[in-house]
Amino acid sequence: MTTHHPNTRRLVYGHAKNYDCLAFVDADTAAGEAAEITALAAARTWGEARQVQMTHLDNPAGPDCYEEDDYADDKPFDITELGAIVNGYWPTMVTTRALDVLPQDLQDRYVELVLTVHDGEYLKVPLDGEADLVAELRKRGYEVTRDDETINLLDGVGVGW
């Protein structure tokens, strides 16, 4: 068990395969979000998918997204067929999160801002800058942990699409 000061900013980062760069996310919500994505991907029927409880993310198969009459509870569910996933809206690109968790001066120094046509801005954190950026974050009191699996799961890699 890791203990940390309650005011310490905790980050998880890793190699985001879809963008071939590093991504940084808030460690306090990362595990919960990853569990929600995994639970939705494991649903085998629309009824199961609608019942997945989400506290960190919106459920793109939830009752607010699809009419139960069109998708009966016993109808087979395939996460890769959800409109939000097909259109690339869910989950949110993992590389956009660094915009919220990395200090602006470090973004300016270590990161390239990339503008996409459909998904807006994201931060491309070069792989070769990992040691310097992580050292700078730790020097400022951040608790930083590398976890490639969680980073890619938060981007939807490995759960059917």
Side-chain angles (χ1 to χ4, degrees):
M1 181 171 140
T2 302
T3 59
H4 63 276
H5 188 276
N7 294 325
T8 299
R9 185 71 191 256
R10 299 177 22 191
L11 301 177
V12 172
Y13 79 100
H15 178 211
K17 294 177 185 177
N18 285 339
Y19 309 96
D20 196 29
C21 67
L22 298 174
F24 288 78
V25 301
D26 185 337
D28 293 334
T29 61
E33 292 176 44
E36 291 171 4
I37 292 168
T38 300
L40 185 61
R44 297 294 166 233
T45 66
W46 274 89
E48 288 176 16
R50 271 193 282 277
Q51 292 177 20
V52 172
Q53 296 297 311
M54 299 210 178
T55 56
H56 301 288
L57 303 170
D58 292 328
N59 184 342
D64 296 336
C65 300
Y66 290 93
E67 295 296 323
E68 289 188 40
D69 295 343
D70 296 332
Y71 297 93
D73 282 350
D74 62 347
K75 182 177 180 182
F77 175 77
D78 181 349
I79 193 170
T80 65
E81 295 176 1
L82 286 175
I85 291 170
V86 170
N87 294 321
Y89 301 125
W90 192 92
T92 303
M93 287 181 359
V94 73
T95 51
T96 63
R97 297 164 181 236
L99 288 161
D100 296 325
V101 299
L102 291 180
Q104 186 62 52
D105 67 310
L106 296 183
Q107 290 181 35
D108 295 342
R109 191 173 338 147
Y110 293 104
V111 178
E112 173 189 355
L113 181 65
V114 176
L115 180 61
T116 68
V117 174
H118 299 290
D119 297 318
E121 300 175 332
Y122 76 91
L123 292 181
K124 184 170 184 135
V125 182
L127 298 171
D128 63 0
E130 175 182 358
D132 292 338
L133 178 54
V134 169
E136 184 67 35
L137 287 165
R138 287 182 175 145
K139 180 177 162 185
R140 293 181 183 201
Y142 283 73
E143 191 175 295
V144 186
T145 305
R146 182 161 178 163
D147 185 342
D148 294 345
E149 184 177 335
T150 296
I151 289 297
N152 286 289
L153 182 56
L154 291 175
D155 208 32
V157 174
V159 288
W161 68 93

